[in-house]
Amino acid sequence: MEQLIKTKTKRNNYFSYIKGWAIISIMLIHLIDWSGFILSKSNLYFKELLYPSVLFFIAISGSLVYVAYGKYDLLTATKRLFRRGGELIAVYFLYNIIKLFVFNFSREPFYNQFISQGKMNLVNILSLHSYTVPITIILTIGAFLIISPLFLYLSKTKHAKLTIGALIGVVIYFGYFSPIPGNMLTNFLYAKNNVTFPLMLWLAPFLICFYLSMIGFEKHKGKLLLLFSTITMIIGVLQFNNFSSINFSGQMYPLKLFYVFASFSFMYIVIYIFYFLEKVGRPAVNLFLSLIRLLGDTTLAIYIYHWLVIDFTLWIFYPHIGPIWLTVPLFLVIYVFFKRQKLLEYLKDYEQVL
């Protein structure tokens, strides 16, 4: 039991739960969009509830930087973050370049916007004016990891919480309230081209989660849910005449402040869901929690693999695009099978607690 307690102090399962929830939601969005699946009006509301998970995917990276790298000295942390961030950026460009030279893009109508503008070429991909696979979220996270040593340094200063909080305020100000001149740098930072997840806008949720880990990510869940919900309501009243007109998907590109705080409100609702599920203690529930943790702990790998599966499925079965509803779930089953030992280890954690 003592060993279990030690293990628990080293790892926060809520990060895994949120990331697992996020990757499942993101895959569902991609399956619906890329299969041409037509949703009824009621199901469209369900789909809108999936979109906050896109923010979870980036934001939780901020928490993990503080938790996973903050225990190292700054030099060691910097080396590890540079290497990890560089790997993600390399994966982004490598995947895009390989697909550029081997894939028949006429089989994916999504790319007509780039083909018609003559942007489906190496120069535009390297300059981020087009892409052959929509994984720019990987590029953004990689860039954030590379600049994260600065945040770790600030987190070790005398007034760390106040400093990081002020930095969040500065990022939000320059992201939403300050006029920005147009040039090559600002076009990149604010996505004046086709960078789907612009650094300056998505840095705010990344830093917010970094700060949340400094104060205890889930320890103050009640107060944080109230805080984020209140801010969401205030922004919603100022921004919308009718709350029924709100849709998350329309708030993401470019990123809107309402979406940021509404997503954090939803995140803490999800945290409460898993908090109560942990209390249930039944074998089926524990298996579900273990499965979510497994997916959450290997999120980036699953994200890349599921795009490979989608691409190969569309390549092989075109013009039939519905088979991705079979191949992607099949991939997940195979993935879990090969990770079954880790799944059993997670399951034993819950059994030992009982």
Side-chain angles (χ1 to χ4, degrees), residues 162-182:
L162 179 62
T163 302
I164 297 296
L167 182 59
I168 293 171
V170 170
V171 169
I172 290 176
Y173 172 76
F174 281 105
Y176 296 97
F177 303 105
S178 175
I180 301 296

Side-chain angles (χ1 to χ4, degrees), residues 304-319:
I304 296 297
Y305 292 151
H306 98 279
W307 271 118
L308 285 168
V309 172
I310 289 175
D311 280 338
F312 277 112
T313 303
L314 295 178
W315 197 348
I316 294 170
F317 292 99
Y318 183 84

